[in-house]
Amino acid sequence: EVQKAFDAFSSGDVVKVTGEVREFGQVLEIGMNPKNGDILSRMRDGEYDLQDLVGKSPVDKEIMVAELAAIVASVRDKYLVAVLDRFFGKEGILDAFSAAPASMQMHSNYTGGLLEHSVKVARICDAMAGQYPAVDRDLLVTGALLHDIGKVREMETGTSIEISDEGMFRGHVVIGDEMVGGAVERILDFPVALRLKLSHMMLSHHGKKEWGSPKEPQTAEALLLHFGDMTDSQVFQYLRARAEAKTDDDWTWDRRLGHIYLK
């Protein structure tokens, strides 16, 4: 009977189970008895909410989309405006971008996470640009909004967040640079130097080669983008680790972050 039940489901299925929850070997399990009317069945599309399984951003989508639009509207360089319009304008991929997660596990790993993360990084970068008048603010903000655009194709969201075949083979850094490069090619007379700077930011935003960057930052804008990206992703992880800590102690330990103070 167990094998029969196992064979009835496939990876990614949503399963409804009713039964009696009990503890065995300090682990909770669900005991089922068909004689009591207990059920084990595969749920069909429409019988569950996908966001109950993969989660969603705590920030309202419409608020984030409006803020994204405001940031885009603040860019003055006509060529960078044209690039942003290719992705976030009427003919762009705003719907897919707004629904995508920012990661599988590390940070903002839920629907709307990519939009949330990109807007936060753009805010951080905009604030840092204000401290350095020599920095090209338009270029930095454009890079912040687009740096993870490749995740639209790197990840697939069903009943769980998975890496696509393309994402596994190539990764979002390479995919994103290709997507931005393709948009630039369709913009008449796009300056060569500006194209190279933007591409460099796409390829270097992870900061170090051992962290997945084909290149390390070689411009002030690329360096600030890396810091902005790292700031949001790591602060997110610290705050989540603190919120999810199941201890009465003052400290907890995270395998990636180390010791975290909880009070």
Side-chain angles (χ1 to χ4, degrees):
E1 288 298 317
V2 172
Q3 186 63 47
K4 182 179 179 181
F6 179 82
D7 292 340
F9 305 113
S10 301
S11 177
D13 284 348
V14 180
V15 180
K16 181 177 182 179
V17 182
T18 60
E20 180 182 348
V21 179
R22 55 202 178 202
E23 185 175 328
F24 178 78
Q26 297 184 329
V27 176
L28 292 178
E29 64 178 19
I30 302 175
M32 296 183 57
N33 186 344
K35 294 180 180 179
N36 295 335
D38 294 339
I39 297 172
L40 176 65
S41 62
R42 181 171 61 85
M43 300 181 72
R44 295 173 294 187
D45 293 344
E47 293 181 335
Y48 59 88
D49 187 340
L50 183 62
Q51 293 180 343
D52 289 338
L53 303 175
V54 297
K56 67 175 181 177
S57 171
V59 185
D60 183 82
K61 173 186 172 182
E62 298 306 318
I63 293 176
M64 290 190 292
V65 169
E67 184 162 1
L68 171 67
I71 296 171
V72 171
S74 73
V75 175
R76 295 288 175 259
D77 186 292
K78 66 178 184 180
Y79 296 107
L80 296 176
V81 170
V83 174
L84 292 169
D85 185 65
R86 293 282 180 178
F87 292 99
F88 305 127
K90 292 182 179 180
E91 306 300 322
I93 58 170
L94 180 58
D95 286 345
F97 182 81
S98 300
S103 71
M104 285 184 64
Q105 297 178 332
M106 299 290 284
H107 66 93
S108 307
N109 54 329
Y110 38 66
T111 59
L114 180 57
L115 172 61
E116 177 192 314
H117 170 65
S118 300
V119 167
K120 284 182 178 178
V121 174
R123 283 189 207 140
I124 294 167
C125 287
D126 194 17
M128 290 192 294
Q131 303 301 312
Y132 305 99
V135 165
D136 186 335
R137 182 265 180 190
D138 283 358
L139 176 60
L140 177 55
V141 169
T142 299
L145 291 178
L146 296 176
H147 76 285
D148 274 347
I149 198 74
K151 290 183 177 179
V152 172
R153 286 165 37 188
E154 181 186 45
M155 285 179 280
E156 298 174 337
T157 305
T159 54
S160 61
I161 300 171
E162 303 290 345
I163 299 294
S164 67
D165 287 344
E166 182 183 20
M168 190 66 74
F169 278 119
R170 305 177 69 215
H172 75 274
V173 174
V174 173
I175 296 170
D177 180 56
E178 180 182 82
M179 292 172 69
V180 171
V184 165
E185 287 182 356
R186 298 193 296 274
I187 299 171
L188 185 64
D189 297 328
F190 198 97
V192 174
L194 185 60
R195 174 179 180 171
L196 289 173
K197 290 177 182 178
L198 183 57
S199 176
H200 174 65
M201 293 172 72
M202 299 295 296
L203 294 172
S204 65
H205 73 266
H206 279 187
K208 296 181 181 295
K209 291 181 178 179
E210 58 264 36
W211 294 347
S213 257
K215 294 293 292 183
E216 296 186 4
Q218 297 172 179
T219 67
E221 292 79 11
L223 183 64
L224 289 173
L225 173 58
H226 165 59
F227 287 148
D229 182 34
M230 178 176 286
T231 296
D232 181 57
S233 63
Q234 291 205 344
V235 168
F236 181 99
Q237 292 175 69
Y238 270 89
L239 293 176
R240 181 165 63 184
R242 189 173 70 183
E244 295 178 353
K246 297 178 180 179
T247 177
D248 293 327
D249 294 340
D250 290 348
W251 295 85
T252 188
W253 167 263
D254 182 272
R255 63 183 179 86
R256 290 190 297 264
L257 305 173
H259 284 101
I260 300 172
Y261 188 58
L262 299 176
K263 303 300 181 182

